[in-house]
Amino acid sequence: MIDTMDEITELRRQMAAMKQSLDNYTIVNKQLIRNVMSKRPQGLNWLVTTELITVPFLCVFFFGICIALHISIWIAITLTIACVIDTYLDTKTMRVPQKLISSLPLQELRKYLVRQKRNRKIQFLVMAPLCAAWILWFLLSYLHNDVIFHEIRASEGFLWAEIAFVGGTLIICGIVITVIYLKSQRVNDAMINDIDSLDESPESPE
């Protein structure tokens, strides 16, 4: 009987040691996951920071162009409004603060990343067409400006050159915006997969 009790006590001790070892292993794994995830959004965070710095100068630049070339001042006004809105949204949908990665519970962080992906998609679908319309408006106003293109506009081939220039600019801008969007979505997907690798039975990402 005594031997049986000793065996049970030893078994309990071993199980407690195994549980402690497993808990420590889980803690280490979570910390490693956080360290990996903290590096993934650095490019996006840098992009948003750069945007915050350059947008004011960009708006002033376009105000100067509109005034100097006698182009509608509403082009610069709408650009400023759009930049303020888009930059604010980017701080929410593009940036992943390091503080959240290090302090938020992993499943809450996962929900945040999934929600951020959804909001970013909505922002892209709304802002991309508006951006294309603004670029078209600005380019047509610029190319039809009498200060620069009064004589050139009357020459043969100007119309086709205008179409090629406007179309090429729209295509390039569309590609750049789409690449940034897809890249940012892949960053979130990678971080979600990092969390899922712990096999904590999270809900599936979008």
Side-chain angles (χ1 to χ4, degrees):
M1 182 69 177
I2 295 177
D3 291 341
T4 302
M5 293 297 297
D6 289 341
E7 290 176 359
I8 293 175
T9 302
E10 178 64 19
L11 182 60
R12 287 176 177 174
R13 188 188 67 77
Q14 291 178 0
M15 290 179 64
M18 289 175 61
K19 183 178 182 302
Q20 181 64 36
S21 177
L22 182 60
D23 289 343
N24 292 338
Y25 177 78
T26 301
I27 292 172
V28 171
N29 263 5
K30 287 183 177 181
Q31 189 57 47
L32 288 175
I33 289 293
R34 291 184 190 276
N35 291 340
V36 171
M37 287 194 299
S38 67
K39 295 179 174 60
R40 296 195 185 279
Q42 287 179 348
L44 296 180
N45 294 345
W46 177 85
L47 183 65
V48 174
T49 301
T50 303
E51 183 180 5
L52 289 169
I53 296 172
T54 58
V55 159
F57 297 99
L58 182 67
C59 294
V60 171
F61 173 74
F62 274 96
F63 268 104
I65 288 180
C66 291
I67 294 172
L69 301 181
H70 306 291
I71 299 175
S72 173
I73 197 66
W74 283 104
I75 290 178
I77 293 174
T78 53
L79 172 69
T80 301
I81 294 173
C83 283
V84 169
I85 295 174
D86 192 59
T87 302
Y88 172 76
L89 292 176
D90 282 347
T91 61
K92 304 296 182 181
T93 64
M94 295 288 287
R95 187 171 62 180
V96 183
Q98 296 294 322
K99 182 179 180 180
L100 291 183
I101 297 176
S102 61
S103 63
L104 206 63
L106 287 180
Q107 289 308 302
E108 291 301 316
L109 178 60
R110 189 183 189 282
K111 292 177 182 178
Y112 173 87
L113 294 171
V114 172
R115 185 167 59 250
Q116 188 181 53
K117 279 187 62 182
R118 186 186 304 116
N119 293 338
R120 186 186 294 141
K121 181 178 181 180
I122 295 172
Q123 180 186 357
F124 173 75
L125 293 176
V126 172
M127 297 302 294
L130 293 177
C131 180
W134 183 89
I135 292 173
L136 181 63
W137 179 23
F138 170 73
L139 290 178
L140 291 178
S141 298
Y142 177 74
L143 293 173
H144 287 231
N145 180 260
D146 289 335
V147 176
I148 300 177
F149 298 103
H150 177 68
E151 296 181 1
I152 302 176
R153 205 166 62 239
S155 63
E156 293 184 14
F158 180 80
L159 177 60
W160 291 109
E162 179 182 15
I163 293 173
F165 177 71
V166 172
T169 302
L170 287 174
I171 291 173
I172 292 172
C173 291
I175 291 174
V176 170
I177 293 173
T178 303
V179 167
I180 293 174
Y181 165 73
L182 294 177
K183 169 66 176 176
S184 61
Q185 294 293 72
R186 283 196 296 269
V187 168
N188 280 53
D189 285 336
M191 296 176 70
I192 291 171
N193 290 335
D194 289 336
I195 297 174
D196 290 348
S197 68
L198 290 175
D199 294 327
E200 293 182 352
S201 300
E203 48 186 32
S204 299
E206 281 192 332

Short mmCIF file of all heavy atoms in Angstrom, two decimals, residues 12-56:
data_model
loop_
_atom_site.label_atom_id
_atom_site.label_comp_id
_atom_site.label_asym_id
_atom_site.label_seq_id
_atom_site.Cartn_x
_atom_site.Cartn_y
_atom_site.Cartn_z
N ARG A 12 2.36 12.05 -9.65
CA ARG A 12 1.85 13.42 -9.56
C ARG A 12 2.98 14.43 -9.71
O ARG A 12 2.83 15.46 -10.35
CB ARG A 12 1.12 13.63 -8.23
CG ARG A 12 -0.24 12.94 -8.16
CD ARG A 12 -0.86 13.11 -6.79
NE ARG A 12 -2.19 12.52 -6.74
CZ ARG A 12 -2.92 12.42 -5.63
NH1 ARG A 12 -2.40 12.88 -4.48
NH2 ARG A 12 -4.11 11.88 -5.67
N ARG A 13 4.11 14.14 -9.07
CA ARG A 13 5.26 15.05 -9.17
C ARG A 13 5.74 15.16 -10.61
O ARG A 13 6.04 16.24 -11.10
CB ARG A 13 6.38 14.55 -8.27
CG ARG A 13 7.56 15.52 -8.15
CD ARG A 13 8.72 14.88 -7.41
NE ARG A 13 9.29 13.78 -8.18
CZ ARG A 13 10.10 13.98 -9.24
NH1 ARG A 13 10.43 15.21 -9.63
NH2 ARG A 13 10.57 12.94 -9.90
N GLN A 14 5.81 14.01 -11.28
CA GLN A 14 6.24 14.02 -12.68
C GLN A 14 5.26 14.77 -13.57
O GLN A 14 5.66 15.51 -14.47
CB GLN A 14 6.41 12.58 -13.18
CG GLN A 14 7.58 11.85 -12.54
CD GLN A 14 7.68 10.41 -13.02
OE1 GLN A 14 6.88 9.95 -13.84
NE2 GLN A 14 8.66 9.69 -12.49
N MET A 15 3.96 14.57 -13.31
CA MET A 15 2.95 15.27 -14.11
C MET A 15 3.03 16.79 -13.88
O MET A 15 2.89 17.58 -14.82
CB MET A 15 1.55 14.75 -13.76
CG MET A 15 1.29 13.32 -14.24
SD MET A 15 -0.36 12.71 -13.80
CE MET A 15 -1.38 13.85 -14.73
N ALA A 16 3.27 17.19 -12.62
CA ALA A 16 3.39 18.61 -12.32
C ALA A 16 4.62 19.21 -13.01
O ALA A 16 4.58 20.33 -13.54
CB ALA A 16 3.47 18.83 -10.82
N ALA A 17 5.70 18.42 -13.01
CA ALA A 17 6.92 18.88 -13.68
C ALA A 17 6.71 19.00 -15.18
O ALA A 17 7.17 19.96 -15.82
CB ALA A 17 8.07 17.93 -13.38
N MET A 18 5.99 18.02 -15.75
CA MET A 18 5.69 18.07 -17.19
C MET A 18 4.81 19.27 -17.53
O MET A 18 5.02 19.94 -18.54
CB MET A 18 5.01 16.77 -17.62
CG MET A 18 5.92 15.55 -17.64
SD MET A 18 5.05 14.01 -18.02
CE MET A 18 4.43 14.41 -19.66
N LYS A 19 3.81 19.53 -16.66
CA LYS A 19 2.92 20.67 -16.90
C LYS A 19 3.69 21.98 -16.82
O LYS A 19 3.51 22.89 -17.64
CB LYS A 19 1.79 20.69 -15.88
CG LYS A 19 0.77 21.80 -16.10
CD LYS A 19 -0.35 21.72 -15.09
CE LYS A 19 -1.39 22.80 -15.35
NZ LYS A 19 -0.82 24.17 -15.32
N GLN A 20 4.61 22.08 -15.83
CA GLN A 20 5.42 23.29 -15.70
C GLN A 20 6.32 23.46 -16.92
O GLN A 20 6.48 24.57 -17.44
CB GLN A 20 6.27 23.20 -14.43
CG GLN A 20 7.15 24.42 -14.18
CD GLN A 20 6.33 25.68 -13.95
OE1 GLN A 20 5.28 25.62 -13.34
NE2 GLN A 20 6.81 26.81 -14.47
N SER A 21 6.89 22.36 -17.39
CA SER A 21 7.75 22.41 -18.57
C SER A 21 6.96 22.84 -19.80
O SER A 21 7.43 23.63 -20.62
CB SER A 21 8.39 21.05 -18.80
OG SER A 21 9.17 21.05 -19.98
N LEU A 22 5.73 22.29 -19.92
CA LEU A 22 4.88 22.65 -21.06
C LEU A 22 4.48 24.12 -21.01
O LEU A 22 4.47 24.81 -22.05
CB LEU A 22 3.63 21.76 -21.07
CG LEU A 22 2.65 21.97 -22.23
CD1 LEU A 22 3.35 21.69 -23.56
CD2 LEU A 22 1.43 21.08 -22.07
N ASP A 23 4.16 24.62 -19.80
CA ASP A 23 3.80 26.03 -19.65
C ASP A 23 4.97 26.93 -20.05
O ASP A 23 4.79 27.94 -20.74
CB ASP A 23 3.39 26.32 -18.20
CG ASP A 23 2.03 25.69 -17.87
OD1 ASP A 23 1.30 25.34 -18.82
OD2 ASP A 23 1.74 25.54 -16.67
N ASN A 24 6.16 26.55 -19.60
CA ASN A 24 7.35 27.33 -19.95
C ASN A 24 7.60 27.31 -21.45
O ASN A 24 7.99 28.31 -22.06
CB ASN A 24 8.58 26.80 -19.20
CG ASN A 24 8.50 27.04 -17.71
OD1 ASN A 24 7.77 27.92 -17.26
ND2 ASN A 24 9.25 26.25 -16.94
N TYR A 25 7.39 26.13 -22.06
CA TYR A 25 7.59 25.99 -23.51
C TYR A 25 6.60 26.88 -24.26
O TYR A 25 6.97 27.54 -25.24
CB TYR A 25 7.39 24.52 -23.89
CG TYR A 25 7.48 24.27 -25.37
CD1 TYR A 25 8.70 24.20 -26.02
CD2 TYR A 25 6.32 24.07 -26.13
CE1 TYR A 25 8.80 23.96 -27.38
CE2 TYR A 25 6.40 23.82 -27.49
CZ TYR A 25 7.63 23.77 -28.11
OH TYR A 25 7.70 23.52 -29.45
N THR A 26 5.34 26.91 -23.78
CA THR A 26 4.32 27.74 -24.43
C THR A 26 4.67 29.22 -24.31
O THR A 26 4.53 29.99 -25.27
CB THR A 26 2.94 27.48 -23.79
OG1 THR A 26 2.62 26.10 -23.94
CG2 THR A 26 1.87 28.32 -24.47
N ILE A 27 5.15 29.63 -23.13
CA ILE A 27 5.53 31.02 -22.92
C ILE A 27 6.67 31.42 -23.85
O ILE A 27 6.65 32.48 -24.48
CB ILE A 27 5.92 31.26 -21.44
CG1 ILE A 27 4.68 31.13 -20.55
CG2 ILE A 27 6.56 32.63 -21.27
CD1 ILE A 27 5.00 31.16 -19.07
N VAL A 28 7.67 30.54 -23.95
CA VAL A 28 8.80 30.81 -24.85
C VAL A 28 8.33 30.90 -26.29
O VAL A 28 8.75 31.78 -27.05
CB VAL A 28 9.88 29.72 -24.68
CG1 VAL A 28 10.95 29.87 -25.76
CG2 VAL A 28 10.52 29.81 -23.31
N ASN A 29 7.45 29.97 -26.70
CA ASN A 29 6.93 29.98 -28.07
C ASN A 29 6.19 31.27 -28.38
O ASN A 29 6.35 31.86 -29.45
CB ASN A 29 5.99 28.79 -28.28
CG ASN A 29 6.71 27.62 -28.93
OD1 ASN A 29 7.91 27.66 -29.12
ND2 ASN A 29 5.97 26.57 -29.24
N LYS A 30 5.36 31.71 -27.45
CA LYS A 30 4.61 32.94 -27.66
C LYS A 30 5.54 34.14 -27.80
O LYS A 30 5.31 35.03 -28.63
CB LYS A 30 3.62 33.16 -26.52
CG LYS A 30 2.43 32.22 -26.54
CD LYS A 30 1.45 32.54 -25.42
CE LYS A 30 0.23 31.63 -25.50
NZ LYS A 30 -0.77 31.93 -24.43
N GLN A 31 6.58 34.16 -26.98
CA GLN A 31 7.52 35.28 -27.06
C GLN A 31 8.28 35.26 -28.37
O GLN A 31 8.51 36.31 -28.98
CB GLN A 31 8.51 35.21 -25.88
CG GLN A 31 9.39 36.45 -25.77
CD GLN A 31 8.59 37.72 -25.63
OE1 GLN A 31 7.65 37.80 -24.84
NE2 GLN A 31 8.93 38.73 -26.43
N LEU A 32 8.64 34.07 -28.84
CA LEU A 32 9.32 33.97 -30.13
C LEU A 32 8.40 34.43 -31.26
O LEU A 32 8.83 35.13 -32.19
CB LEU A 32 9.76 32.52 -30.38
CG LEU A 32 10.93 32.02 -29.53
CD1 LEU A 32 11.17 30.54 -29.78
CD2 LEU A 32 12.20 32.83 -29.83
N ILE A 33 7.12 34.05 -31.18
CA ILE A 33 6.15 34.48 -32.19
C ILE A 33 6.03 35.99 -32.20
O ILE A 33 6.00 36.63 -33.26
CB ILE A 33 4.77 33.83 -31.92
CG1 ILE A 33 4.81 32.34 -32.23
CG2 ILE A 33 3.68 34.51 -32.74
CD1 ILE A 33 5.00 32.01 -33.69
N ARG A 34 5.97 36.60 -31.02
CA ARG A 34 5.87 38.05 -30.95
C ARG A 34 7.12 38.73 -31.54
O ARG A 34 7.01 39.76 -32.20
CB ARG A 34 5.67 38.50 -29.49
CG ARG A 34 4.32 38.13 -28.91
CD ARG A 34 4.15 38.68 -27.51
NE ARG A 34 2.97 38.17 -26.84
CZ ARG A 34 1.75 38.65 -26.96
NH1 ARG A 34 1.54 39.69 -27.76
NH2 ARG A 34 0.74 38.13 -26.30
N ASN A 35 8.29 38.14 -31.27
CA ASN A 35 9.52 38.70 -31.82
C ASN A 35 9.52 38.64 -33.35
O ASN A 35 9.96 39.59 -34.01
CB ASN A 35 10.74 37.95 -31.27
CG ASN A 35 10.96 38.19 -29.79
OD1 ASN A 35 10.46 39.18 -29.24
ND2 ASN A 35 11.68 37.30 -29.14
N VAL A 36 9.05 37.53 -33.90
CA VAL A 36 8.97 37.40 -35.35
C VAL A 36 7.95 38.39 -35.93
O VAL A 36 8.22 39.08 -36.92
CB VAL A 36 8.58 35.96 -35.74
CG1 VAL A 36 8.27 35.86 -37.24
CG2 VAL A 36 9.70 34.99 -35.39
N MET A 37 6.79 38.47 -35.29
CA MET A 37 5.72 39.35 -35.79
C MET A 37 6.12 40.82 -35.72
O MET A 37 5.70 41.62 -36.56
CB MET A 37 4.43 39.12 -35.01
CG MET A 37 3.74 37.82 -35.34
SD MET A 37 2.04 37.76 -34.70
CE MET A 37 2.35 37.94 -32.95
N SER A 38 6.91 41.18 -34.72
CA SER A 38 7.28 42.59 -34.56
C SER A 38 8.10 43.11 -35.74
O SER A 38 8.11 44.32 -36.00
CB SER A 38 8.05 42.78 -33.25
OG SER A 38 9.32 42.13 -33.33
N LYS A 39 8.75 42.20 -36.46
CA LYS A 39 9.58 42.61 -37.60
C LYS A 39 8.78 42.71 -38.90
O LYS A 39 9.18 43.41 -39.83
CB LYS A 39 10.75 41.64 -37.78
CG LYS A 39 11.74 41.64 -36.63
CD LYS A 39 12.84 40.63 -36.87
CE LYS A 39 13.94 40.72 -35.80
NZ LYS A 39 13.45 40.49 -34.46
N ARG A 40 7.68 42.01 -38.98
CA ARG A 40 6.93 41.93 -40.24
C ARG A 40 6.34 43.27 -40.69
O ARG A 40 6.42 43.62 -41.87
CB ARG A 40 5.82 40.88 -40.15
CG ARG A 40 6.36 39.46 -39.95
CD ARG A 40 5.27 38.44 -40.23
NE ARG A 40 5.71 37.08 -39.96
CZ ARG A 40 6.43 36.33 -40.78
NH1 ARG A 40 6.81 36.85 -41.95
NH2 ARG A 40 6.76 35.10 -40.46
N PRO A 41 5.72 44.08 -39.80
CA PRO A 41 5.09 45.32 -40.27
C PRO A 41 6.01 46.53 -40.29
O PRO A 41 5.54 47.66 -40.46
CB PRO A 41 3.95 45.53 -39.27
CG PRO A 41 4.49 45.00 -37.99
CD PRO A 41 5.40 43.84 -38.38
N GLN A 42 7.33 46.33 -40.14
CA GLN A 42 8.23 47.48 -40.07
C GLN A 42 8.17 48.31 -41.34
O GLN A 42 8.21 49.55 -41.29
CB GLN A 42 9.65 47.00 -39.80
CG GLN A 42 9.88 46.52 -38.37
CD GLN A 42 11.29 46.02 -38.12
OE1 GLN A 42 12.07 45.83 -39.05
NE2 GLN A 42 11.63 45.80 -36.85
N GLY A 43 8.09 47.65 -42.50
CA GLY A 43 8.02 48.39 -43.76
C GLY A 43 6.75 49.22 -43.87
O GLY A 43 6.79 50.37 -44.31
N LEU A 44 5.62 48.65 -43.44
CA LEU A 44 4.35 49.38 -43.48
C LEU A 44 4.37 50.55 -42.50
O LEU A 44 3.90 51.65 -42.82
CB LEU A 44 3.19 48.44 -43.15
CG LEU A 44 2.93 47.29 -44.12
CD1 LEU A 44 1.76 46.45 -43.65
CD2 LEU A 44 2.69 47.81 -45.53
N ASN A 45 4.92 50.33 -41.31
CA ASN A 45 5.00 51.41 -40.33
C ASN A 45 5.88 52.55 -40.85
O ASN A 45 5.58 53.73 -40.65
CB ASN A 45 5.54 50.88 -39.00
CG ASN A 45 4.59 49.90 -38.34
OD1 ASN A 45 3.42 49.81 -38.71
ND2 ASN A 45 5.09 49.14 -37.38
N TRP A 46 6.98 52.19 -41.50
CA TRP A 46 7.86 53.20 -42.09
C TRP A 46 7.14 53.97 -43.18
O TRP A 46 7.29 55.20 -43.30
CB TRP A 46 9.11 52.53 -42.65
CG TRP A 46 10.04 53.49 -43.32
CD1 TRP A 46 11.01 54.25 -42.75
CD2 TRP A 46 10.07 53.80 -44.73
NE1 TRP A 46 11.64 55.03 -43.70
CE2 TRP A 46 11.10 54.76 -44.93
CE3 TRP A 46 9.35 53.34 -45.83
CZ2 TRP A 46 11.39 55.28 -46.19
CZ3 TRP A 46 9.65 53.87 -47.09
CH2 TRP A 46 10.66 54.82 -47.26
N LEU A 47 6.35 53.27 -43.99
CA LEU A 47 5.60 53.91 -45.08
C LEU A 47 4.62 54.94 -44.53
O LEU A 47 4.50 56.05 -45.07
CB LEU A 47 4.87 52.85 -45.89
CG LEU A 47 4.10 53.34 -47.12
CD1 LEU A 47 5.06 53.89 -48.17
CD2 LEU A 47 3.27 52.20 -47.72
N VAL A 48 3.91 54.58 -43.47
CA VAL A 48 2.94 55.50 -42.87
C VAL A 48 3.65 56.71 -42.27
O VAL A 48 3.19 57.85 -42.41
CB VAL A 48 2.09 54.78 -41.81
CG1 VAL A 48 1.17 55.78 -41.09
CG2 VAL A 48 1.24 53.69 -42.46
N THR A 49 4.77 56.48 -41.60
CA THR A 49 5.54 57.59 -41.03
C THR A 49 6.01 58.54 -42.13
O THR A 49 5.93 59.77 -41.99
CB THR A 49 6.75 57.06 -40.25
OG1 THR A 49 6.31 56.19 -39.21
CG2 THR A 49 7.55 58.20 -39.64
N THR A 50 6.51 57.98 -43.24
CA THR A 50 6.94 58.80 -44.37
C THR A 50 5.77 59.59 -44.94
O THR A 50 5.91 60.77 -45.31
CB THR A 50 7.54 57.90 -45.47
OG1 THR A 50 8.62 57.15 -44.92
CG2 THR A 50 8.04 58.73 -46.64
N GLU A 51 4.61 58.95 -45.01
CA GLU A 51 3.41 59.63 -45.50
C GLU A 51 3.05 60.82 -44.62
O GLU A 51 2.70 61.90 -45.12
CB GLU A 51 2.26 58.62 -45.56
CG GLU A 51 0.97 59.16 -46.14
CD GLU A 51 -0.14 58.12 -46.15
OE1 GLU A 51 0.07 57.01 -45.62
OE2 GLU A 51 -1.23 58.43 -46.68
N LEU A 52 3.11 60.64 -43.32
CA LEU A 52 2.78 61.72 -42.39
C LEU A 52 3.71 62.91 -42.57
O LEU A 52 3.30 64.07 -42.40
CB LEU A 52 2.86 61.21 -40.95
CG LEU A 52 1.76 60.24 -40.50
CD1 LEU A 52 2.12 59.61 -39.17
CD2 LEU A 52 0.42 60.96 -40.42
N ILE A 53 4.97 62.64 -42.92
CA ILE A 53 5.95 63.71 -43.09
C ILE A 53 5.80 64.42 -44.42
O ILE A 53 5.87 65.65 -44.50
CB ILE A 53 7.39 63.15 -42.94
CG1 ILE A 53 7.60 62.62 -41.52
CG2 ILE A 53 8.43 64.20 -43.28
CD1 ILE A 53 8.91 61.88 -41.34
N THR A 54 5.55 63.66 -45.50
CA THR A 54 5.57 64.23 -46.85
C THR A 54 4.25 64.85 -47.28
O THR A 54 4.25 65.74 -48.14
CB THR A 54 5.96 63.15 -47.88
OG1 THR A 54 5.03 62.05 -47.80
CG2 THR A 54 7.36 62.65 -47.62
N VAL A 55 3.14 64.39 -46.73
CA VAL A 55 1.83 64.89 -47.19
C VAL A 55 1.70 66.42 -47.06
O VAL A 55 1.22 67.07 -47.99
CB VAL A 55 0.69 64.16 -46.45
CG1 VAL A 55 -0.60 64.97 -46.48
CG2 VAL A 55 0.45 62.79 -47.10
N PRO A 56 2.08 67.04 -45.94
CA PRO A 56 1.96 68.51 -45.87
C PRO A 56 2.75 69.22 -46.98
O PRO A 56 2.24 70.18 -47.58
CB PRO A 56 2.53 68.84 -44.49
CG PRO A 56 2.34 67.60 -43.69
CD PRO A 56 2.55 66.48 -44.66
#
